Each structure stands twice: as C-alpha cells, then as structure tokens.
Amino acid sequence: SAVISQKPSRDICQRGTSLTIQCQVDSQVTMMFWYRQQPGQSLTLIATANQGSEATYESGFVIDKFPISRPNLTFSTLTVSNMSPEDSSIYLCSVAGLAGAWEQFFGPGTRLTVL
Amino acid sequence: TQLLEQSPQFLSIQEGENLTVYCNSSSVFSSLQWYRQEPGEGPVLLVTVVTGGEVKKLKRLTFQFGDARKDSSLHITAAQPGDTGLYLCAGVGWSSGDKLTFGTGTRLAVRP
C-alpha cells in the first residue's frame, strides 16, 4: 500500500467560495481518482486525474465545477468551485498502480461543510 | 450503468453472532474488491477477488465471488465490536479500465 494524505482534513466554507483539496502520495502511482461521499452514503467517482493532461470526468461532474490538477505522479488537487450547501460532503482521493497492481487505496478524506 | 446493490443496508448484531453481507449486480465484473470504512477515515481495502467461484479467507472474514462474476458475499464469523463499520463492495467492469463502481454499502454495528 501507500501513505496517502489529504489537506485540509475538514473545512467549513461560505457559499459562493471555492476550496482546493490536496492529495499527496508517498510513492509514484499510475492512477489517481477523486470521489465524493455524501453523509451516510457510498462513494461516487467524480473524475480520474491524469498526469500531464485534463482530467476525465464522470457523468454529472464538470470541469468548471470541479477543476482538477495533477502535475506529477505523487500529487493532485481537486477544487470545489462556487460552493453551495449541496456540496457538503466528504471528498476522497484514491490511488492505483502501486508496483504495477491495480487495487485502489484511499486517503483519509476531506470533510467539507458549506453554510 | 453498472449498479451494485448491497444487502442488508443496516445490520445491528450482538458480539459473537455470524453475519453475511451480499453484493449483487446484473453486470459482470472482472474483479471485485471489499472495503471497510470507519468514521472519519477513508475506505480500507480488505480483499480482491478475481476468479469466478473464488473464496478467500481473512481471519474471521470469508469472501466469495460468484461463479458468474456478478455477485459476491462477505461472511463474518463470531463478530466483534471492532468489526463495526461501513462495508463496501466495489467492482471493476471489463470496459471501465481501472475505475471502481461502488456498492450501496452495508453499515454494521456489533454490540458488546
């Protein structure tokens, strides 16, 4: 596995503002993903963060709302833009491709509350 | 869209009891993973099953992948309070690359 950290661990934000979440891995990985988990719910994939190119978004998620960066093989950011209370959720990054394996490992998550 | 339905949705049992969680789909998956998530943490990978009919054991946990690769089960023997958490199955489709489709989740509470 790998050590995956996310910053911030939690935040309370005002509607209309934006928050950037960072995900750092302690080793190079092939794939990085961003998920959303609403309270008491399962995980929904937002996008695949591609190194050196634009992220691949899932249906229902768009780049203007959730811009993603991945400048190298160990780091990615997700921005939640123009936030509304409906964006209150846990945001998780995951990685795959450690030592050639495709299993996914998750960061601890960022708990976002939008007032 | 590939959907994974888990049952039961909630389960509250006494320490020492046995339980089974089911993960069902109409889609075929190349592999299936089981995770456990505790409050304030990310999901932790428990096991990956890749072969139809495969059975894997992890101490008191037994995982099975259906012969047709559409379903899976997790059986816990003699549950302990430390087993409490959200259990999630997640499948990799044949044409979805490395993307996971997560199940609806089963929240387990084991009372001492």
Side-chain angles (χ1 to χ4, degrees):
Chain A
S1 62
V3 176
I4 306 165
S5 60
Q6 286 186 232
K7 289 183 182 179
S9 59
R10 59 177 61 231
D11 207 342
I12 300 173
C13 302
Q14 296 296 321
R15 69 170 65 211
T17 63
S18 298
L19 175 72
T20 296
I21 302 168
Q22 298 179 4
C23 178
Q24 179 76 55
V25 193
D26 68 345
S27 55
Q28 292 186 343
V29 293
T30 306
M31 310 287 286
M32 294 183 80
F33 304 90
W34 287 98
Y35 290 82
R36 182 172 70 186
Q37 184 177 28
Q38 295 181 312
Q41 303 294 315
S42 185
L43 279 70
T44 300
L45 180 64
I46 297 172
T48 303
N50 301 309
Q51 196 263 329
S53 64
E54 194 172 283
T56 305
Y57 290 84
E58 297 302 302
S59 176
F61 298 97
V62 295
I63 188 171
D64 290 345
K65 176 67 175 178
F66 297 102
I68 287 171
S69 78
R70 189 169 173 202
N72 55 52
L73 294 176
T74 64
F75 184 78
S76 179
T77 67
L78 167 74
T79 299
V80 186
S81 303
N82 188 25
M83 289 183 285
S84 66
E86 291 71 35
D87 294 321
S88 296
S89 193
I90 298 172
Y91 292 87
L92 296 138
C93 71
S94 74
V95 304
L98 290 162
W102 38 263
E103 293 160 323
Q104 286 192 29
F105 298 92
F106 285 81
T110 295
R111 182 178 293 275
L112 171 63
T113 301
V114 184
L115 303 178
Chain B
T1 304
Q2 298 169 316
L3 296 174
L4 278 166
E5 295 285 339
Q6 287 184 234
S7 60
Q9 188 177 0
F10 300 100
L11 191 56
S12 179
I13 62 172
Q14 201 71 35
E15 181 176 3
E17 294 183 4
N18 302 332
L19 67 117
T20 302
V21 177
Y22 299 93
C23 174
N24 294 296
S25 176
S26 58
S27 301
V28 177
F29 292 95
S30 62
S31 67
L32 197 135
Q33 302 176 16
W34 283 92
Y35 292 83
R36 179 172 68 218
Q37 184 180 24
E38 298 185 32
E41 299 180 8
V44 174
L45 180 65
L46 297 174
V47 78
T48 301
V49 285
V50 296
T51 305
E54 181 177 6
V55 176
K56 279 192 175 179
K57 292 193 175 184
L58 184 66
K59 295 184 181 178
R60 293 177 294 100
L61 279 61
T62 302
F63 305 85
Q64 184 164 10
F65 200 12
D67 291 340
R69 312 170 77 102
K70 294 182 178 182
D71 55 86
S72 181
S73 64
L74 158 60
H75 182 79
I76 301 179
T77 304
Q80 299 177 0
D83 295 326
T84 294
L86 177 66
Y87 287 82
L88 296 158
C89 64
V92 178
W94 290 104
S95 60
S96 63
D98 294 322
K99 293 191 298 184
L100 286 174
T101 298
F102 273 86
T104 49
T106 295
R107 192 165 297 278
L108 171 66
V110 182
R111 304 184 303 275

